[in-house]
Amino acid sequence: MPVVDGVELPETPLLDELEKGPWPSFVKEIKRAAIEQEKAMKAGKKIKLPGSAKGLLKVLELAYKEKRTHWKHGGIVSVIGYGGGVIGRYCDLEDKVPEVWHFHTIRVNMPAGWFYTTKALRALCDAWEKWGSGLTNFHGSTGDIILLGTRTEHLQPMANALAYLDKFYGSPAPFDIGGSGSDLRTPSCCMGPSLCEFACYDTLKACYEFTMRYQNELHRPMWPYKFKIKCAGCPNDCIASKARADFAIIGTWKDEIQIDQEAVREYAKVIDIEEHVVKKCPTKAISWDGKELKIDNKNCIRCMHCINVMPKALKPGKERGATILIGGKAPFVDGAIIGWVAVPFIPENELIEKCCEILEAIWEWWDEEGKFRERVGELIWRKGMDEFLKVIGQKADVRMVYAPRNNPFIFWRELNP
Amino acid sequence: MAEEVNVEELKQKVLEYLAKKPWQVRDLAKVLRVKKRELDKIVQELINEGKATYWSSGSTTYVTTPEKLEEMEKKRSEMGAAE
Ligand code: HEM
Ligand code: HEM
Ligand code: SF4
Ligand code: SF4
């Protein structure tokens, strides 16, 4: 048995291979957790799942050796009143590795924009070291803090610890469980105006408002399937909302890109504007005569390229708001499906209220008409965009067209009988 | 008042069904011939009262009674390695 820092670790020749190389390794991290856990126990801390990180190493090594999994799905969601956020997982080796027989995942609602104080992080880790494996995943694909592995009987105490993390663990604020299953998944947003000058609306505020207003939808699954809301401050879409959210709110502007000509001339000294900006504009909307940069804003499709290249010279316009994209999702089998335009523009000051109105209309329709495990985008394919637009009270708009028709001899109805 | 009696009756009936096995509200609504939305409300109330609870298959959420849940979890731990 290898001994590290006075802690015995199981023999894991296959897993050890995954520690080689310059990149981060989850094996290294699980070993560290095993060591830290044992140290904490020696220091007299209360630990409910002794040996769980070590147990995980044993199960993984065995799985690599036998080329089969020892994990099973299903089971209890036993935090009172919550239907989501706890994902039951079991191992079929309870006689050999009882430490990880139950290995349930808890999702924790992250703060908007993923801002933490170290105090909050310490408190989270202290609570999880006591009630779970101590292993975390910051963050999961939903955006939540993922707590990996605990037993059924520790789920409720851990949920209580989160709810009183301020009182008993010294966190500046308590935490709540996130979403899973057929509910509203924990809404997420980019860091927006807190750090980014491109933000066209307050993404953090929007995310917070949706989270607070839709607590019932978040914690109590009742829909055909999951529903994700993601708020991106500008078309750079740093949280990949267009590929991952059923309802993506992407910041944009209606008027003209703001240009500081003096700053453009400064850039001209260090970059080739013709080559790196003018030629790269997808709609050829930019011209540059060596002194002045001109943008034909009617033809700008808000791709952000020119602004990203010259952030000191160019800025999004002043009349700001957001576009709503509907139906994005990222299934593993068919690959990502990009959302499409449902509402071309909502001004910033009306954004949250208008989104709530639309969301509630969509949920009512989808809950009524959706088949089991049918995402809202799939329902729109089945029922047609016409019906969807009626549901959300929008008129068809040229900006919703996915691609212009390019063959005059094909009548589209015959393609889609 | 007549309406309230009906809700109480429906609640009782819902509980009887939930005691038998975990249900998706959508399916139970069809069996009981009530609107899903109406049943959602009743189920939420039962959950708030502690008379109903959630059960998950791993990714799909069902509703049942706490007694049935306990029975199922007990069965699971007894089945253990044999499964
Ligand atoms: C070679 C090993 C592994 C690889 C390549 C891998 C890769 C990934 C990736 C790419 C994701 C999506 C992350 C994201 O989009 O944020 C993910 C999610 C996840 N991983 Fe791993 N992983 C590995 C091992 C593990 C292990 C050992 C565990 C458990 C102990 C684990 C538990 C999870 C969970 C629970 C999620 C989902 C988080 C959520 O619900 O959003 N993974 N993994
Ligand atoms: C043969 C092995 C597995 C397959 C094929 C599989 C497949 C899947 C699929 C398809 C989903 C998405 C469900 C959805 O869309 O709602 C999912 C979610 C998940 N799986 Fe697995 N899985 C496997 C093993 C595991 C294991 C071993 C664990 C942990 C011990 C695990 C933990 C999770 C978690 C935490 C989620 C997120 C659940 C949610 O989104 O509500 N899975 N898995
Ligand atoms: S999406 Fe836009 S606003 Fe948000 S962080 Fe990225 S660049 Fe900034
Ligand atoms: S944002 Fe994109 S489309 Fe618009 S002018 Fe700049 S490069 Fe062209």
Side-chain angles (χ1 to χ4, degrees):
Chain A
M1 281 231 172
V3 179
V4 183
D5 275 4
V7 176
E8 272 186 15
L9 294 173
E11 299 276 359
T12 52
L14 294 174
L15 289 181
D16 296 348
E17 290 297 314
L18 299 174
E19 284 187 281
K20 295 177 183 165
W23 37 77
S25 159
F26 73 98
V27 173
K28 206 173 278 168
E29 298 305 320
I30 301 175
K31 284 184 180 174
R32 261 179 67 188
I35 295 163
E36 289 303 320
Q37 196 187 41
E38 207 146 304
K39 280 190 191 161
M41 280 164 66
K42 282 180 191 155
K45 285 197 194 162
K46 277 190 209 151
I47 303 274
K48 301 289 180 180
L49 246 77
S52 47
K54 267 193 206 177
L56 185 60
L57 289 169
K58 289 184 207 164
V59 172
L60 277 174
E61 180 68 19
L62 201 62
Y64 276 57
K65 207 165 125 190
E66 298 175 345
K67 295 191 164 64
R68 60 158 291 214
T69 183
H70 285 283
W71 297 109
K72 302 186 291 182
H73 283 78
I76 199 163
V77 189
S78 70
V79 175
I80 294 165
Y82 286 69
V86 174
I87 302 144
R89 292 293 181 269
Y90 297 82
C91 174
D92 66 5
L93 296 168
E94 72 271 30
D95 45 346
K96 279 197 206 136
V97 199
E99 308 90 286
V100 292
W101 174 18
H102 295 204
F103 209 68
H104 310 321
T105 297
I106 302 180
R107 287 201 178 134
V108 180
N109 196 143
M110 68 295 187
W114 298 284
F115 289 102
Y116 301 90
T117 61
T118 49
K119 237 180 164 180
L121 287 172
R122 265 180 238 286
L124 275 166
C125 291
D126 284 346
W128 186 235
E129 183 181 68
K130 175 171 176 184
W131 293 109
S133 70
L135 288 163
T136 61
N137 176 357
F138 278 79
H139 299 83
S141 42
T142 47
D144 300 83
I145 303 157
I146 308 290
L147 306 177
L148 289 162
T150 193
R151 291 183 59 84
T152 304
E153 64 269 28
H154 303 323
L155 292 170
Q156 187 67 50
M158 183 61 202
N160 298 349
L162 290 170
Y164 294 99
L165 207 68
D166 48 344
K167 270 204 183 113
F168 298 119
Y169 290 86
S171 168
F175 281 78
D176 197 5
I177 287 175
S180 76
S182 299
D183 63 9
L184 174 64
R185 298 305 181 81
T186 316
S188 73
C189 63
C190 75
M191 60 190 176
S194 60
L195 278 174
C196 181
E197 59 200 287
F198 296 160
C200 295
Y201 71 96
D202 190 340
T203 52
L204 304 139
K205 182 172 173 220
C207 182
Y208 180 80
E209 285 289 327
F210 298 138
T211 305
M212 298 313 274
R213 209 179 286 202
Y214 298 123
Q215 281 287 299
N216 205 41
E217 286 77 1
L218 214 166
H219 297 306
R220 298 188 153 180
M222 48 187 142
W223 291 331
Y225 204 9
K226 57 186 150 194
F227 192 96
K228 300 185 183 173
I229 303 174
K230 294 190 191 293
C231 314
C234 80
N236 277 337
D237 195 10
C238 292
I239 46 159
S241 65
K242 63 170 90 59
R244 302 193 302 161
D246 301 271
F247 194 88
I249 306 165
I250 302 185
T252 187
W253 61 94
K254 221 175 177 175
D255 53 348
E256 286 120 39
I257 291 178
Q258 303 181 58
I259 309 177
D260 175 344
Q261 297 291 354
E262 194 51 48
V264 177
R265 287 190 282 272
E266 284 300 308
Y267 274 109
K269 294 178 189 162
V270 289
I271 59 169
D272 182 343
I273 290 185
E274 186 63 33
E275 206 51 45
H276 296 299
V277 182
V278 176
K279 281 194 187 162
K280 293 273 165 64
C281 171
T283 51
K284 304 281 173 275
I286 307 177
S287 59
W288 164 246
D289 61 7
K291 286 194 212 90
E292 202 184 355
L293 189 90
K294 285 200 187 121
I295 298 179
D296 171 12
N297 281 280
K298 276 214 175 82
N299 281 314
C300 164
I301 54 166
R302 276 83 173 142
C303 82
M304 292 296 289
H305 175 75
C306 59
I307 300 176
N308 289 335
V309 175
M310 304 194 291
K312 284 185 184 160
L314 304 179
K315 271 199 273 191
K318 289 183 182 151
E319 200 184 338
R320 297 178 178 194
T323 298
I324 309 297
L325 267 59
I326 189 82
K329 60 179 196 141
F332 342 100
V333 185
D334 345 321
I337 290 161
I338 308 295
W340 57 96
V341 174
V343 187
F345 188 79
I346 306 175
E348 196 182 358
N349 60 344
E350 299 166 20
L351 187 61
I352 292 173
E353 284 311 315
K354 188 77 192 156
C355 282
C356 289
E357 234 172 73
I358 298 171
L359 281 167
E360 285 161 32
I362 291 174
W363 292 337
E364 194 175 329
W365 177 66
W366 173 52
D367 195 30
E368 193 74 34
E369 303 282 342
K371 291 183 186 163
F372 178 53
R373 295 219 144 203
E374 186 174 47
R375 296 280 282 272
V376 71
E378 292 157 326
L379 178 61
I380 297 172
W381 294 342
R382 185 157 66 81
K383 291 271 176 182
M385 192 69 176
D386 276 5
E387 182 168 336
F388 176 71
L389 290 178
K390 272 185 209 131
V391 167
I392 61 168
Q394 283 284 314
K395 288 209 177 101
D397 184 297
V398 66
R399 286 163 292 190
M400 296 166 184
V401 174
Y402 180 67
R405 183 167 147 183
N406 55 22
N407 183 338
F409 300 109
I410 292 176
F411 190 48
W412 62 272
R413 265 185 213 286
E414 284 173 5
L415 281 177
N416 242 332
Chain B
M1 284 317 272
E3 216 175 51
E4 255 171 53
V5 174
N6 273 340
V7 170
E8 276 315 308
E9 269 175 21
L10 189 55
K11 257 189 178 174
Q12 270 316 311
K13 209 159 158 202
V14 170
L15 273 179
E16 280 166 33
Y17 275 84
L18 295 184
K20 284 183 212 150
K21 65 162 201 176
W23 285 88
Q24 274 196 277
V25 174
R26 193 169 305 278
D27 297 332
L28 187 57
K30 278 186 204 135
V31 171
L32 294 177
R33 294 165 189 279
V34 290
K35 278 221 168 100
K36 176 180 173 283
R37 204 153 267 276
E38 201 181 318
L39 191 55
D40 272 335
K41 256 192 227 146
I42 289 175
V43 167
Q44 303 286 310
E45 278 175 32
L46 288 170
I47 285 169
N48 291 342
E49 292 163 13
K51 291 178 190 162
T53 187
Y54 290 107
W55 181 82
S56 164
S57 69
S59 56
T60 308
T61 313
Y62 299 80
V63 182
T64 185
T65 58
E67 294 77 24
K68 183 74 191 169
L69 182 85
E70 205 169 295
E71 187 191 314
M72 290 190 310
E73 283 301 309
K74 215 169 138 203
K75 227 194 220 157
R76 173 202 297 285
S77 52
E78 279 163 8
M79 277 197 299
E83 200 189 12

